[in-house]
Amino acid sequence: MTAVYKDDQEDWLTVCLKYLLFVFNFLFWVGGAAVLGVGIWTLVEKSDYLSLLASSTFVVSAYILILAGGLVVVTGFLGCCAVIREQRSCLSTYFFCLLLIFVIELVAGVLAYVYYQRLSEELKQNLNQTMADNYAQPGREAITLAVDRLQQDFKCCGSNDSRDWMASAYVSSKQAEDRVVPDSCCKTITPHCGKRDHPSNIYKVEGGCITKLEQFLADHLLVIGSVGIGVACLQARAVGGWPVSDSCS
């Protein structure tokens, strides 16, 4: 009688552990999908601006999140299959994959926060020179499009203000045709509208495009860092409290 009771108790515990693991695995899968979504969103949402950055840390962090999210989605699906079919030999591999994913997400989060700290200094040092030296120059079409979109999307003109364009290679060239700012500075773009830099015609924003771009990138980096580190810590906490040896025996 005691042996039967003991067997029933063990079967009950096995069933509980099975479904508990399934719930954990499903939450990991949801977290992975969120991480993957944030990575893709970071690259797709106004990705033209990335050509204006001197450092590749921002895009690297996004790609790492996409990698981690993709691995979580695949691993989570395989984990669910292993639990449903009770393939316990696969669970050790599953937990190893979760550990690898934890490291990848943590790296992405740390990179994002480190870059967040020095983003302002990088923009101040490089954005003005990038815009002044490369706008509308041969072979710099990507930067030209990025600057035009930046000024139109954020309703700004110049790195710090519209006067920055006076020292640019573009305004000094014949290509400008007497423009003092690019046409993308205009509130309403018409041919050669950049010849007049009056506030009624062009955007005059305090702090210029640097302030706008810095805020945009800082918001994205904050999301990347929070999602990467947050999801990684939640996964580590859950996995750390799971009886791996019992589940995979």
Side-chain angles (χ1 to χ4, degrees):
M1 186 74 176
T2 305
V4 173
Y5 176 77
K6 185 176 181 180
D7 290 339
D8 290 341
Q9 188 178 35
E10 288 178 353
D11 290 341
W12 181 81
L13 288 174
T14 300
V15 171
C16 287
L17 290 175
K18 173 183 174 180
Y19 285 104
L20 186 58
L21 178 57
F22 184 86
V23 170
F24 279 149
N25 189 68
F26 178 75
L27 293 177
F28 289 150
W29 188 88
V30 172
V35 168
L36 179 62
V38 168
I40 294 175
W41 166 70
T42 300
L43 292 181
V44 172
E45 180 73 8
K46 297 181 173 64
S47 59
D48 291 344
Y49 304 150
L50 300 179
S51 61
L52 301 177
L53 301 178
S55 172
S56 60
T57 308
F58 182 82
V59 68
V60 167
S61 298
Y63 276 122
I64 291 177
L65 272 191
I66 292 175
L67 172 63
L71 287 175
V72 171
V73 170
V74 174
T75 303
F77 176 76
L78 294 177
C80 284
C81 291
V83 172
I84 292 174
R85 298 181 180 182
E86 298 185 3
Q87 295 175 331
R88 297 187 177 184
S89 60
C90 298
L91 294 180
S92 296
T93 304
Y94 166 71
F95 280 107
F96 173 78
C97 290
L98 287 183
L99 178 61
L100 177 63
I101 291 164
F102 161 74
V103 173
I104 293 174
E105 289 173 343
L106 196 60
V107 168
V110 170
L111 279 177
Y113 275 118
V114 169
Y115 188 53
Y116 177 86
Q117 299 300 320
R118 57 188 185 88
L119 173 64
S120 178
E121 190 61 30
E122 178 188 315
L123 288 178
K124 289 177 182 177
Q125 290 178 356
N126 298 290
L127 185 60
N128 187 29
Q129 184 176 358
T130 298
M131 294 173 69
D133 294 347
N134 297 287
Y135 184 83
Q137 301 305 301
R140 301 295 183 180
E141 289 79 10
I143 292 180
T144 302
L145 290 173
V147 171
D148 285 339
R149 186 174 180 185
L150 174 69
Q151 295 189 141
Q152 278 294 297
D153 285 356
F154 290 139
K155 304 184 187 313
C156 59
C157 182
S159 178
N160 296 288
D161 57 52
S162 59
R163 290 172 294 182
D164 291 338
W165 286 111
M166 297 303 295
S168 68
Y170 169 69
V171 169
S172 303
S173 67
K174 293 182 180 181
Q175 181 183 0
E177 299 179 344
D178 297 325
R179 292 181 180 86
V180 291
V181 295
D183 290 344
S184 58
C185 281
C186 299
K187 296 179 178 178
T188 302
I189 297 180
T190 56
H192 300 90
C193 64
K195 288 184 176 181
R196 193 167 68 94
D197 62 352
H198 191 272
S200 63
N201 183 52
I202 68 170
Y203 294 114
K204 296 278 189 178
V205 178
E206 185 178 352
C209 292
I210 281 182
T211 303
K212 296 287 189 176
L213 183 58
E214 179 182 354
Q215 185 60 52
F216 168 79
L217 293 175
D219 290 344
H220 278 65
L221 286 170
L222 188 61
V223 172
I224 291 176
S226 299
V227 169
I229 294 177
V231 173
C233 290
L234 287 174
Q235 289 176 344
R237 182 181 180 87
V239 173
W242 182 262
V244 179
S245 59
D246 290 339
S247 301
C248 301
S249 57

